């Protein structure tokens, strides 16, 4: 596999171990999912993955993930901007806490969000009189998926924003652009790849999310039941083939997203290095 | 220890880095591998060190074949372009590293290591920096520590990759002389890579000029400067004027004058290039029969010990650069826009192979 | 005289205008900060505060009682065991993968990097499912395991496997770009000076990547201890035996024992905060090293 010999030792050992471990932990188990579906005929497979309850769960999962990711793109960009451009008391603490959804166990996030957004919770009790119910509705799913995707956009946009040279903005200003024109025509185009990457990462993470959602969702079939929960339900009924069929649909979508994200990141790096 | 390089070739994918290179480095010499970036000089140095494996050919150390020998057994010292100091180790530990990693049987005692490291640090005049860390050193200091580290293992051959490349002009000049003196003291066979002709001319006993993976010329600094073997060497070492010319039976036509050549007696009317160094352009106020041609003085740069003239030929738009001493310049009392006559000396003619 | 003052004033005004041109008016600045903080409060700060408030709702005594409950203690123990096994395994893998990818050129490298990322893209639920398909009762090795009286699913090995899977890429992903950026000159220098492979790894490479390594370890540990979905599928929720801390939280919560659920959750939240603090510390340390480097370069 080596293109030309490199004198550093350990290539065969390290690559061999990497491939072995990767195969044992990831590749072989994942292929088991695809093999398992072959137990179903195509018609059976199609029937399982297009059952009304399953389709309703796709709509909820993808819809709520999309809304969460859009919210994160908007407010994540804003947060990244505020954290790189301005100073305010407690900024360092806020900056560190942005990563909380990465570090906080999803089950903890789930019960905490439920407690806050339930009709007797701190925020839920304020919203309830206005006719807005969050916990145990699809809106709750959006809240949970926004929470777990929150750091992605901030953390992909922030470094790009930090690296932007003040000179380009000064140049825009010296050419007569006002602040908004400078932002929309000079800064935003430079942020696009990172913003899109962060959005895609948040979206991909949200699709597979389970722990934080099931507490707040209410899990009503056809209404607030996410796809990962469908898989669990089928497993608990010992419907392994059915669970796997739905899993395969999700896996394929996730893989497509992963490749898209890698492509985006390549594009974004490529643009940065080309401009240097 | 002498180094012999025999028919070395090396490809990186479709890129031919080295094409059948052969050369000898006699014991105790300081040799420069000189060439533009991408000419293969660093690859050759890394092959000598054993950091890169040649596709074919052999490296002989002191007559014995070292091609298959592991880097660790080659007894070479290597100074990397960016020094590659271990950034988490003190200067002392950096220099001591090569001794500390030896197998127990041949490893010197701690006291012995300490003695040797301090001796080396004294040699590079940086003993006072022993406890510092690489990020705390200046570029020139890092360079000398890298050298001390390479010398600690008592190498038979010292290899330096662009040793002064990352330094600013002033430090570079000082270190250059210092390296030369150090070499005169230690007499260890050394090869260094550079793209800076001035550096090679000043420091090396011998220069190997490389281009496109091939050796263009090997010789003393004097030889390669005064008698370049190819148009490339001519252009790469110092400024040069190029004239389009035609050669016929040992006579060359340049700008309306005819020169008698020693070589090319058999050549029948073929295109050629003639090379003349700026200081070999004689400027005259009067025509000199058939040996000079007319030109106009475009610009005069009279800064420094030499006066540089930019001249335009009368018969075509080509520009010629000439260098005069201040005395000569005063004698001629030239002004811009003046018409003069030009007589080239020491003309080297190379046939235009492509045409 | 007055003309020079006017021109000085003019240039001064221009300077101010310039710095103003690359910033926003104060009211815009503060409203942007306010909107951002409001968003973060709704989704981060308030829920985090709720964890600790709910945990202490029934007083400190009940809080402690929930933590020293035997089932809680055994959940803590299992969580620590799962992390303690998966962490070193993924650490060795991360270093090996980063060594091969960063120091060598080979075909298919970018495919390998994408494959290492795969577990990021897989839903935790599916991560659990695939091990059930292999080691479960109806799985590939199901019968063999029953015959030999081994248990993987609904037992500790399954929990460890699921944990390894979900934390698989963390350390490798942290190390690969770092080691690629550092290049291989220092390793080659070690080689020329006579060091062997292990000496190079221990004395040169590992000290150089220590912050990245620690960073990856901390993230891996946080995820390993907090994993819910994948572990939930393979655990079987047997109290006192196969329950990890997050699963214990779920059980208590579903039994409407909210104070106890939040008490255990607060422990996990504290772990998360500790992780973030360590992470900030490491970033500060690493950036300090870089700053010193850059100052000297100049």
């Amino acid at each position: 596999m080596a293109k030309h010999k490199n004198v550093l030792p350990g290539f065969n050992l390290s690559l061999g171990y990497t491939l072995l471990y990767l195969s044992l932990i990831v590749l072989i188990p994942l292929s088991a999912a695809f093999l398992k579906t072959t137990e179903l005929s195509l018609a059976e497979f199609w029937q399982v993955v297009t059952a009304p309850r399953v389709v309703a769960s796709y709509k909820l999962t993808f819809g709520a993930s999309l809304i969460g990711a859009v919210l994160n793109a908007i407010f994540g960009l804003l947060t990244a901007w505020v954290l790189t451009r301005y100073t305010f008391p407690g900024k360092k603490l806020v900056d560190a806490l942005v990563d909380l959804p990465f570090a906080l166990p999803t089950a903890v996030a789930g019960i905490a969000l439920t407690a806050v957004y339930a009709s007797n919770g701190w925020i839920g009790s304020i919203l309830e009189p206005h006719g807005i119910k969050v916990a145990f509705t699809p809106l709750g799913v959006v809240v949970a998926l926004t929470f777990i995707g929150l750091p992605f956009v901030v953390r992909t946009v922030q470094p790009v924003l930090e690296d932007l040279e003040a000179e380009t903005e000064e140049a825009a200003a010296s050419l007569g652009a006002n602040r908004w024109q400078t932002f929309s025509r000079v800064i935003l185009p430079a942020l696009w790849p990172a913003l899109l990457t962060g959005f895609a990462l948040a979206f991909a993470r949200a699709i597979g999310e389970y722990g934080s959602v099931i507490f707040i969702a209410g899990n009503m079939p056809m209404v607030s039941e996410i796809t990962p929960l469908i898989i669990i339900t089928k497993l608990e009924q010992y419907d392994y083939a059915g669970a796997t069929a739905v899993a395969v649909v999700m896996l394929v979508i996730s893989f497509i997203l992963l490749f898209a994200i890698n492509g985006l990141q390549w594009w974004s790096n490529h643009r940065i290095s080309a401009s240097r | 220890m002498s180094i012999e390089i025999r028919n070395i070739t090396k490809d990186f994918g479709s890129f031919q880095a080295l094409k059948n290179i052969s050369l000898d480095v006699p014991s105790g010499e300081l040799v420069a591998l000189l060439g533009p970036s991408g000419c293969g000089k660093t690859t050759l140095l890394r092959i000598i060190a054993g950091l890169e494996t040649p596709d074919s050919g052999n490296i002989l150390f002191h007559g014995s074949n070292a091609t298959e020998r592991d880097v660790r057994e080659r007894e070479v010292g290597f100074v990397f372009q960016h020094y590659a100091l271990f950034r988490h180790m003190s200067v002392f530990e950096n220099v001591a590293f090569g001794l500390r990693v030896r197998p127990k049987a041949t490893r010197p005692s701690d006291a012995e290591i300490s003695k040797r490291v301090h001796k080396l640090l004294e040699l590079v005049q940086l003993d006072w920096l022993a406890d510092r860390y690489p990020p705390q050193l200046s570029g020139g200091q890092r360079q000398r520590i890298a050298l001390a580290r390479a010398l600690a293992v008592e190498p038979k051959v010292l290899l330096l990759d662009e040793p002064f490349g990352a330094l600013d002009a002033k430090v570079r000049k000082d270190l250059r002389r210092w390296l030369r003196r150090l070499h005169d003291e230690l007499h260890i066979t050394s090869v260094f890579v550079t793209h800076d002709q001035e550096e090679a001319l000043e420091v090396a006993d011998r220069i190997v000029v490389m281009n496109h993976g091939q050796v263009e010329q090997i010789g003393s600094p004097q030889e390669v400067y005064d008698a370049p073997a190819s148009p490339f060497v001519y252009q790469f070492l110092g400024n040069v004027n190029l004239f389009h010319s035609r050669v016929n039976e040992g006579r060359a036509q340049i700008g309306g004058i005819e020169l008698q050549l020693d070589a090319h007696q058999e050549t029948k009317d073929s295109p050629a290039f003639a090379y003349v160094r700026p200081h070999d352009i004689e400027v005259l106020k009067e025509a000199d029969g058939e040996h000079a041609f007319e030109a106009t003085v475009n610009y005069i740069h009279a800064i420094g010990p030499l006066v540089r003239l930019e001249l335009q030929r009368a018969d075509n738009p080509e520009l010629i650069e000439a260098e005069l001493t201040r005395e000569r310049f005063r004698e001629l009392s030239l002004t811009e826009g003046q018409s003069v006559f030009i007589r080239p000396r020491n003309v080297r003619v190379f046939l235009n192979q492509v045409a | 005289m007055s003309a020079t003052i006017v021109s000085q004033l003019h240039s001064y005004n221009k300077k101010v205008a310039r710095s103003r041109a690359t910033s926003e008016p104060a009211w815009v600045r503060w409203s942007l900060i306010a909107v951002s903080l409001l968003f973060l409060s709704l989704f981060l700060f308030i829920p985090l505060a709720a964890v600790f408030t709910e945990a202490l709702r029934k007083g400190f005594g009940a809080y402690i009682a929930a933590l020293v409950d035997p089932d809680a203690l055994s959940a803590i123990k299992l969580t620590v065991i799962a992390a303690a096994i998966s962490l070193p395994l993924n650490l060795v893998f991360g270093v090996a993968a980063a060594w091969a990818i960063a120091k060598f050129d080979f075909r298919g490298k970018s495919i390998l990097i994408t494959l290492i990322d795969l577990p990021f893209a897989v839903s935790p639920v599916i991560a659990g499912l695939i091990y059930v398909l292999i080691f479960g009762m109806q799985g590939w090795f199901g019968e063999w395991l029953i015959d030999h009286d081994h248990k993987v699913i609904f037992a500790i090995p399954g929990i460890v496997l699921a944990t390894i899977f979900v934390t698989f890429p963390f350390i490798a992903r942290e190390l690969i770009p770092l080691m690629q950026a550092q290049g291989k000159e220092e390793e080659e220098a070690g080689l020329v000076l006579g060091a062997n492979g292990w000496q190079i790894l221990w004395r040169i490479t590992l000290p150089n990547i220590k912050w990245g390594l620690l960073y990856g370890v901390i993230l891996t540990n946080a995820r390993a201890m907090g994993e819910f979905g994948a572990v939930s599928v393979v655990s079987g929720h047997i109290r006192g035996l196969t329950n990890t801390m997050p699963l214990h939280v779920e059980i208590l919560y579903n039994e409407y024992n909210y104070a106890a659920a939040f008490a255990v959750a607060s422990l996990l939240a504290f772990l998360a905060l500790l992780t973030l603090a360590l992470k900030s510390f490491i970033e500060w340390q690493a950036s300090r090293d870089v700053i010193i480097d850059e100052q000297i370069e100049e």
Side-chain angles (χ1 to χ4, degrees):
Chain A
M1 245 178 138
K3 232 199 263 167
H4 36 83
K5 210 180 140 196
N6 182 320
V7 292
L8 285 178
F11 176 68
N12 290 333
L13 180 67
S14 59
L15 186 66
Y17 182 74
T18 300
L19 292 176
L20 178 74
Y21 192 74
L22 178 72
S23 306
L24 286 180
I25 299 291
V26 179
L27 299 182
I28 294 172
L30 276 179
S31 63
F34 289 90
L35 282 176
K36 183 76 183 173
T37 52
T38 56
E39 288 177 10
L40 297 175
S41 71
L42 204 63
E44 284 171 323
F45 177 83
W46 190 248
Q47 202 194 351
V48 171
V49 301
T50 57
R53 190 170 156 189
V54 178
V55 171
S57 84
Y58 297 149
K59 282 184 187 158
L60 175 68
T61 303
F62 288 96
S65 298
L66 196 65
I67 297 170
V70 169
L71 282 177
N72 276 324
I74 297 167
F75 291 100
L77 174 63
L78 175 66
T79 304
W81 178 271
V82 165
L83 288 177
T84 44
R85 294 298 171 106
Y86 307 146
T87 49
F88 55 90
K91 179 176 134 174
K92 286 219 165 111
L93 187 68
V94 172
D95 196 358
L97 280 177
V98 164
D99 281 329
L100 188 70
F102 284 157
L104 194 70
T106 51
V108 177
I111 63 169
L113 288 169
T114 312
V116 170
Y117 285 95
S119 51
N120 59 350
W122 290 343
I123 298 173
S125 59
I126 301 171
L127 297 174
E128 180 92 0
H130 298 87
I132 305 170
K133 280 186 76 141
V134 179
F136 317 121
T137 69
L139 197 55
V141 179
V142 173
V143 168
L145 294 182
T146 307
F147 171 85
I148 55 115
L150 198 148
F152 287 100
V153 174
V154 182
R155 291 303 183 225
T156 48
V157 171
Q158 211 174 1
V160 183
L161 211 46
E162 274 165 5
D163 282 351
L164 274 190
E165 284 165 42
E167 270 180 22
T168 54
E169 285 171 53
E170 286 170 356
S174 75
L175 294 168
N178 65 32
R179 199 59 194 140
W180 173 249
Q181 286 170 321
T182 304
F183 177 77
S184 59
R185 289 168 188 238
V186 177
I187 301 173
L188 199 58
L191 296 181
W192 260 122
L195 192 61
L196 213 55
T197 306
F199 169 82
L201 284 169
F203 182 62
R205 173 75 209 270
I207 287 174
E209 179 55 21
Y210 173 71
S212 58
V213 179
I214 51 155
F215 294 99
I216 201 171
N219 307 327
M220 276 166 18
M222 306 296 293
V223 178
S224 59
E225 190 178 42
I226 55 167
T227 312
L229 184 63
I230 297 256
I231 297 173
I232 294 248
T233 313
K234 284 188 186 294
L235 263 183
E236 279 169 357
Q237 293 160 354
Y238 301 102
D239 179 10
Y240 286 17
T244 312
V246 178
V248 162
V249 172
M250 288 197 75
L251 275 178
V252 169
I253 292 165
S254 300
F255 291 166
I256 292 170
L257 273 172
L258 178 69
F259 280 103
I261 290 165
N262 276 6
L264 272 172
Q265 264 162 350
W266 180 85
W267 178 41
S268 145
N269 290 340
H270 195 70
R271 270 178 47 146
I272 291 169
S273 59
S275 68
R276 270 186 191 157
Chain B
M1 192 161 76
S2 65
I3 308 168
E4 291 158 54
I5 294 157
R6 294 278 166 268
N7 310 102
I8 291 285
T9 55
K10 175 80 181 172
D11 297 347
F12 292 110
S14 61
F15 175 69
Q16 255 196 305
L18 296 173
K19 302 169 192 163
N20 199 20
I21 298 263
S22 294
L23 67 101
D24 290 342
V25 179
S27 188
E29 266 198 6
L30 176 55
V31 171
L33 299 178
L34 174 66
S37 60
C39 74
K41 56 193 192 300
T42 295
T43 307
L44 182 59
L45 193 78
R46 289 170 62 86
I47 286 176
I48 299 172
L51 288 169
E52 214 81 63
T53 346
D55 296 336
S56 66
N58 289 305
I59 302 283
L60 281 71
F61 280 179
H62 204 70
S64 79
N65 196 336
T67 319
E68 296 297 317
R69 215 177 282 167
D70 193 274
V71 212
R72 281 165 283 202
E73 288 148 20
R74 288 203 189 194
E75 299 184 277
V76 297
F78 199 101
V79 177
F80 289 81
Q81 189 178 358
H82 302 291
Y83 322 129
L85 292 177
F86 307 129
R87 67 200 99 168
H88 61 280
M89 290 181 204
S90 67
V91 163
F92 180 93
E93 285 303 325
N94 260 284
V95 179
F97 183 88
L99 302 171
R100 289 212 199 279
V101 295
R102 285 196 184 165
K104 265 223 173 82
T106 55
R107 192 189 308 153
S109 69
D110 276 359
E112 174 67 19
I113 288 177
S114 171
K115 211 174 94 193
R116 275 166 70 174
V117 170
H118 282 295
K119 217 171 128 197
L120 279 162
L121 287 175
E122 270 162 37
L123 182 72
V124 300
Q125 298 153 356
L126 291 175
D127 202 19
W128 53 288
L129 289 176
D131 296 328
R132 299 270 184 93
Y133 284 81
Q136 299 167 309
L137 307 180
S138 73
Q141 290 168 340
R142 288 184 207 186
Q143 167 67 277
R144 284 189 278 167
I145 297 301
L147 195 61
R149 184 179 70 177
L151 291 173
V153 290
E154 296 175 333
K156 301 286 191 298
V157 171
L158 186 61
L159 306 170
L160 306 99
D161 186 6
E162 295 274 1
F164 316 111
L167 302 170
D168 58 52
K170 173 79 178 71
V171 183
R172 188 188 281 225
K173 261 199 167 131
D174 291 346
L175 266 179
R176 210 141 83 185
R177 297 203 184 105
W178 178 81
L179 178 72
R180 181 66 238 185
R181 280 203 305 276
L182 189 77
H183 183 263
D184 292 343
E185 226 173 280
L186 300 172
H187 272 296
I188 172 172
T189 312
S190 307
V191 180
F192 75 99
V193 155
T194 181
H195 64 269
D196 182 343
Q197 35 122 350
E198 203 182 312
E199 203 167 284
L201 291 171
E202 191 181 315
V203 179
D205 293 323
R206 213 201 260 258
I207 295 177
V208 179
V209 186
M210 292 180 67
N211 189 31
H212 293 309
Q214 280 167 323
V215 173
E216 294 272 340
Q217 189 174 7
I218 304 174
S220 69
Q222 184 101 46
E223 280 164 7
V224 293
Y225 189 82
D226 289 345
S230 68
F232 171 79
V233 180
Y234 233 122
Q235 284 176 316
F236 196 72
L237 286 132
N239 290 331
V240 71
N241 288 299
L242 179 146
F243 298 96
H244 293 276
S245 144
R246 290 201 86 80
V247 173
N248 191 26
E249 293 175 349
R251 302 177 73 79
Q253 293 278 340
I254 300 168
I257 61 168
E258 203 169 67
L259 294 170
Q260 190 70 43
L261 305 175
D262 294 337
H264 308 304
Q265 296 296 335
E266 310 297 317
T267 310
K268 298 261 185 244
D269 193 37
S270 82
F273 291 116
Y275 291 88
V276 187
R277 298 261 186 232
H279 56 80
D280 283 330
I281 299 274
E282 238 183 312
V283 178
L284 310 165
K285 293 198 98 164
E286 319 267 309
D288 175 36
E290 292 176 349
H291 300 299
F293 55 90
E294 207 183 341
T296 318
V297 179
N298 262 1
Y299 293 106
I300 301 172
H301 307 275
I303 290 159
L306 289 174
V307 177
R308 244 182 286 258
L309 303 180
E310 189 189 293
L311 305 148
Q312 174 151 20
R313 281 170 65 168
D315 55 341
N316 74 21
E318 274 179 35
L319 295 174
I320 302 162
E321 208 184 306
E323 278 174 9
L324 310 179
T325 60
R326 285 205 164 257
E327 273 162 44
R328 178 72 185 142
F329 177 69
R330 226 170 294 134
E331 261 173 52
L332 290 166
S333 64
L334 295 173
T335 54
E336 288 179 0
Q338 190 178 354
S339 258
V340 291
F341 290 88
I342 282 172
R343 186 165 61 194
R345 290 177 305 212
N346 296 327
V347 181
R348 287 277 307 225
V349 175
F350 296 96
L351 295 182
N352 189 348
Q353 312 284 2
V354 188
Chain C
M1 176 87 185
S2 67
T4 54
I5 290 174
V6 169
S7 87
Q8 270 177 4
L9 204 70
H10 187 68
S11 75
Y12 173 72
N13 277 340
K14 249 167 95 181
K15 240 184 194 164
V16 172
R18 204 167 214 210
S19 68
R20 228 182 244 157
T22 52
S23 182
E24 293 76 33
W27 69 269
V28 174
R29 268 201 323 266
W30 285 106
S31 9
L32 291 179
I33 292 172
V35 172
S36 165
L37 289 182
L38 179 70
F39 171 74
L40 293 176
S41 302
L42 287 177
F43 288 93
L44 280 186
F45 306 149
I46 295 176
L48 181 65
V51 173
F52 293 100
T53 321
E54 295 287 331
L56 292 168
R57 178 152 285 182
K58 288 197 178 153
F60 200 66
Y63 178 78
I64 294 295
L67 294 184
V68 297
D69 176 83
D71 287 348
L73 286 178
S74 86
I76 293 171
K77 201 173 122 198
L78 182 57
T79 298
V80 171
I81 289 173
I85 297 174
S86 52
L87 208 57
L89 287 173
N90 281 343
L91 182 66
V92 172
F93 162 73
V95 172
W99 180 268
I101 288 168
K103 307 285 179 191
F104 298 88
D105 284 318
F106 53 91
R107 246 179 303 161
K109 191 196 266 195
S110 54
I111 296 175
L112 180 61
I113 295 175
T114 305
L115 288 178
I116 290 174
D117 270 349
L118 270 187
F120 277 154
V122 173
S123 171
V125 169
I126 297 174
L129 168 75
I130 56 178
Y131 290 108
V132 173
L133 293 179
I134 292 179
F135 298 109
M137 298 254 272
Q138 306 174 347
W140 291 355
F141 301 119
E143 268 177 48
W144 186 90
L145 287 169
I146 292 170
D147 290 347
H148 290 79
D149 204 23
H150 290 303
K151 245 186 143 183
V152 174
I153 300 306
F154 305 145
I156 295 175
I159 291 171
V160 171
L161 273 175
T163 306
I164 290 176
F165 184 94
V166 294
T167 57
F168 182 86
F170 281 95
I171 294 174
R173 283 307 274 170
E174 208 54 59
L175 293 185
I176 290 168
L178 182 68
M179 277 165 70
Q180 274 175 334
Q182 286 181 346
K184 51 186 186 192
E185 256 199 357
E186 284 188 41
E187 281 80 6
E188 285 178 348
L191 205 60
V192 178
L193 291 168
N196 64 34
W198 291 115
Q199 285 171 324
I200 290 172
L201 183 67
W202 283 107
R203 290 171 186 239
I204 298 169
T205 308
L206 289 181
N208 270 339
I209 57 171
K210 60 172 183 254
W211 295 124
L213 200 66
L214 201 58
Y215 198 100
V217 165
I218 286 167
L219 290 184
T220 305
N221 181 61
R223 186 71 201 271
M225 291 196 165
E227 179 49 32
F228 178 74
V231 170
S232 162
V233 173
V234 294
S235 125
H237 304 269
I238 306 164
R239 271 196 156 181
L241 275 181
T242 63
N243 257 353
T244 61
M245 282 165 81
L247 297 178
H248 190 59
V249 169
E250 185 201 16
I251 288 185
L252 292 171
Y253 189 86
N254 287 342
E255 288 170 349
Y256 305 104
N257 192 352
Y258 292 141
F262 277 103
V264 179
S266 75
L267 219 53
L268 288 165
F270 181 73
L271 177 78
L273 291 176
L274 189 69
T275 301
L276 294 185
L278 279 172
K279 188 169 163 288
S280 298
F281 174 75
I282 292 168
E283 277 166 347
W284 174 69
Q285 280 288 338
S287 75
R288 213 183 50 162
D289 288 1
V290 171
I291 287 168
I292 292 173
D293 258 359
E294 280 172 356
Q295 274 171 349
I296 303 294
E297 298 287 349
E298 277 163 5

